[in-house]
Amino acid sequence: MNDPTKKESYHTAWMLILLLWLVYTTSYLGKLNYSANITQIIDSYGITKAQAGIVPTFFFFAYGIGQVFNGLLCNKYNLKWMIFISLFVSGLINLFIAITTEFWLVKWLWMINGFVLSILWPSIMRILSDSLPQKYLGTSSVFLGSTVPIGTLLIYGLSAVYALFDNFKLAFYTAAFCDIIVSVVWLSIYTKSVMYAKAEKESEEKDIQINTATAKSETSNIYHKNNIIFLTVYIVCFFVVGVNLTKDGLMTWVPSILKEEFALSDSLSILLTLFLPILAIFGNAWAVTLHKKIPDYVTHSALLFAIIGIFIGFIIGSLKFELASLMLVGLIAANFLATSLNSLITSIFPLYMRDKLNSGRLAGIINGFAYLGSTISSYGLGIIADNFGWNGVFITLLIFCALVMLVWTGYLIFKRCSKNED
């Protein structure tokens, strides 16, 4: 039997990080392909925006409930097989959707897809928390955070190409193929990658100097009281609703906005939407960097929401004066900030709090609230757009940003009162 500690110089925790990156990036091909092709789906089936929006709503509803469910139970899972099942079944569902001609069936299949994919994130957080050395936590957050924009970029880029051939179902065939292949790769090298990561973690823990330096995380001084810890959890759960309302709302409806407001073709609308995830790739690294300067998660989040609100104001102005370039700048900036904020709340926060709270469970609960926002973003924003236009959609997002400022003010008051009691 191989001794993993003897191969540290050749095989480190990087193998595990890269494997998890591949799994989660691939999952986005079979998660966002419906949203990436929603304008073609509307035209193909002759349905309204609200009817089209019900499909991702079913997905996000099942995904959100599944996040909480799997977050609570992930400590009991055989993670090797559960992640394989999640990715493999998602691949089969995408294949069925590519084959079927019945639109009514799509929403039910997409709902099942949402539930099986909800297994992934709490399980990944549990694996990272259990297996990674402290020195890799920030790096893993950056890498795992990049899965969302990169996966989004891939599926939207492919969908733009497929739109040229007026065949959106190719996106579902692509997702099916990639999901199934990567699920087999996962099954093949999971055991070895975890073995090497844990060996490196054990080596780090044996070093008294490093252990002493890392025993107190940067959050320990800030969150020294349980009431502050749990208040922070409650607030970030609320914040992440607005984060995903903004992030997923933009990714779902930007092609429709560009098509309707500026008379762009389906292919060009999707192609321009690619600018959102391209810059968002760097949002995760920025979140880690900014967190070092603003270690308070609530304050960090509130600052980004304030800036998002400013750019939403630019978007509203661009709609009024029909300035496509200004709108695109506003959309890209707002999405960059929302993606950075999503990484802070759903990845950095659970991992860095692993000494205080169960990372897998915390990630599942937070992501459950995140996809409550995603649920509202698809169907709810679709209804608002149908009745009040796209201007009404962005005013709704602006109101949430203002609400965040009120919550942040209350948090600061509570924190100051709590400190005075010491």
Side-chain angles (χ1 to χ4, degrees), residues 10 62 97 100 120 135 211 232 238 249 280 292 312 353 409 416:
Y10 302 100
I97 291 177
T100 187
L120 292 179
K135 65 182 179 181
N211 190 52
T232 300
F238 171 69
K292 293 176 182 177
I312 288 175
M353 297 295 285
T409 302
R416 182 179 293 274

Side-chain angles (χ1 to χ4, degrees), residues 21 39 84 92 99 125 133 148 178 181 213 257 259 283 298 307 319 322 360 364 371 381 396 420 422:
W21 181 92
T39 57
F84 167 78
L92 292 180
I99 294 172
M125 286 294 104
V148 178
C178 292
I181 292 298
I257 295 171
K259 180 180 178 180
V298 177
I307 303 173
L319 282 173
E322 298 183 354
Y371 280 87
L381 295 183
T396 301
N420 290 336
D422 291 346

Side-chain angles (χ1 to χ4, degrees), residues 95-159:
L95 181 60
F96 292 152
I97 291 177
I99 294 172
T100 187
T101 58
E102 300 293 333
F103 180 74
W104 67 267
L105 187 60
V106 173
K107 65 176 178 288
W108 299 110
L109 289 171
W110 215 232
M111 182 176 71
I112 298 171
N113 190 40
F115 189 81
V116 298
L117 286 178
S118 70
I119 294 170
L120 292 179
W121 191 248
S123 300
I124 287 173
M125 286 294 104
R126 180 192 151 191
I127 292 171
L128 292 175
S129 177
D130 292 347
S131 307
L132 280 192
Q134 180 77 16
K135 65 182 179 181
Y136 284 104
L137 290 185
T139 303
S140 66
S141 296
V142 172
F143 267 79
L144 267 295
S146 72
T147 57
V148 178
I150 290 176
T152 302
L153 177 63
L154 287 173
I155 193 58
Y156 271 77
L158 289 171
S159 295

Side-chain angles (χ1 to χ4, degrees), residues 24-39 41 55-56 59-60 63 90 94 97 110 113-114 117 146-160 168 171-172 175 179 244 247-253 255 270 273-274 276-277 335 339 371 374 377-378:
Y24 207 64
T25 299
T26 303
S27 75
Y28 262 74
L29 302 182
K31 180 189 289 187
L32 290 184
N33 46 353
Y34 180 92
S35 296
N37 293 279
I38 197 166
T39 57
I41 291 170
V55 176
F59 175 95
F60 292 138
Y63 192 89
S90 179
N94 274 274
I97 291 177
W110 215 232
N113 190 40
L117 286 178
S146 72
T147 57
V148 178
I150 290 176
T152 302
L153 177 63
L154 287 173
I155 193 58
Y156 271 77
L158 289 171
S159 295
F168 68 86
F172 291 92
D179 282 352
N244 273 36
K247 180 175 68 69
D248 290 332
L250 293 179
M251 288 309 306
T252 299
W253 294 115
I270 297 172
T273 305
L274 287 178
L276 275 66
N335 188 70
T339 302
Y371 280 87
S374 300
S377 75
S378 53

Side-chain angles (χ1 to χ4, degrees), residues 102-394:
E102 300 293 333
F103 180 74
W104 67 267
L105 187 60
V106 173
K107 65 176 178 288
W108 299 110
L109 289 171
W110 215 232
M111 182 176 71
I112 298 171
N113 190 40
F115 189 81
V116 298
L117 286 178
S118 70
I119 294 170
L120 292 179
W121 191 248
S123 300
I124 287 173
M125 286 294 104
R126 180 192 151 191
I127 292 171
L128 292 175
S129 177
D130 292 347
S131 307
L132 280 192
Q134 180 77 16
K135 65 182 179 181
Y136 284 104
L137 290 185
T139 303
S140 66
S141 296
V142 172
F143 267 79
L144 267 295
S146 72
T147 57
V148 178
I150 290 176
T152 302
L153 177 63
L154 287 173
I155 193 58
Y156 271 77
L158 289 171
S159 295
V161 174
Y162 298 150
L164 294 174
F165 302 98
D166 197 25
N167 192 345
F168 68 86
K169 290 204 170 186
L170 288 174
F172 291 92
Y173 282 116
T174 301
F177 175 79
C178 292
D179 282 352
I180 292 171
I181 292 298
V182 172
S183 70
V184 175
V185 172
W186 164 264
L187 208 58
S188 303
I189 63 177
Y190 165 78
T191 302
K192 184 173 289 186
S193 65
V194 169
M195 180 177 67
Y196 290 126
K198 287 188 174 180
E200 193 170 2
K201 182 183 179 186
E202 289 171 6
S203 177
E204 180 188 75
E205 289 173 348
K206 288 176 184 177
D207 190 317
I208 299 176
Q209 254 189 331
I210 297 178
N211 190 52
T212 302
T214 58
K216 276 191 172 184
S217 68
E218 62 180 6
T219 59
S220 61
N221 292 327
I222 299 171
Y223 303 106
H224 59 288
K225 285 187 171 184
N226 281 338
N227 58 353
I228 298 295
I229 293 173
F230 288 112
L231 177 63
T232 300
V233 172
Y234 300 148
I235 291 176
V236 298
C237 283
F238 171 69
F239 282 180
V240 83
V241 174
V243 171
N244 273 36
L245 178 66
T246 303
K247 180 175 68 69
D248 290 332
L250 293 179
M251 288 309 306
T252 299
W253 294 115
V254 163
S256 293
I257 295 171
L258 295 175
K259 180 180 178 180
E260 294 175 17
E261 297 295 327
F262 303 105
L264 301 181
S265 66
D266 287 332
S267 180
L268 185 56
S269 296
I270 297 172
L271 197 60
L272 288 175
T273 305
L274 287 178
F275 282 108
L276 275 66
I278 286 174
L279 283 183
I281 292 172
F282 305 101
N284 309 287
W286 190 58
V288 173
T289 302
L290 186 60
H291 180 61
K292 293 176 182 177
K293 298 179 179 179
I294 311 176
D296 188 300
Y297 291 96
V298 177
T299 299
H300 183 162
S301 301
L303 173 64
L304 294 191
F305 266 114
I307 303 173
I308 288 172
I310 293 171
F311 281 107
I312 288 175
F314 289 167
I315 295 170
I316 293 173
S318 70
L319 282 173
K320 182 177 181 180
F321 297 104
E322 298 183 354
L323 299 173
S325 57
L326 181 60
M327 161 162 270
L328 201 55
V329 169
L331 291 170
I332 291 170
N335 188 70
F336 171 84
L337 294 166
T339 302
S340 174
L341 192 47
N342 180 266
S343 177
L344 174 76
I345 295 175
T346 63
S347 178
I348 297 171
F349 182 58
L351 279 180
Y352 277 83
M353 297 295 285
R354 70 177 182 177
D355 293 334
K356 301 179 183 301
L357 300 166
N358 182 294
S359 293
R361 183 174 299 140
L362 181 59
I365 292 171
I366 290 174
N367 248 21
F369 281 91
Y371 280 87
L372 172 61
S374 300
T375 302
I376 299 170
S377 75
S378 53
Y379 186 61
L381 295 183
I383 290 177
I384 293 172
D386 282 335
N387 291 279
F388 303 101
W390 295 115
N391 200 55
V393 167
F394 290 109

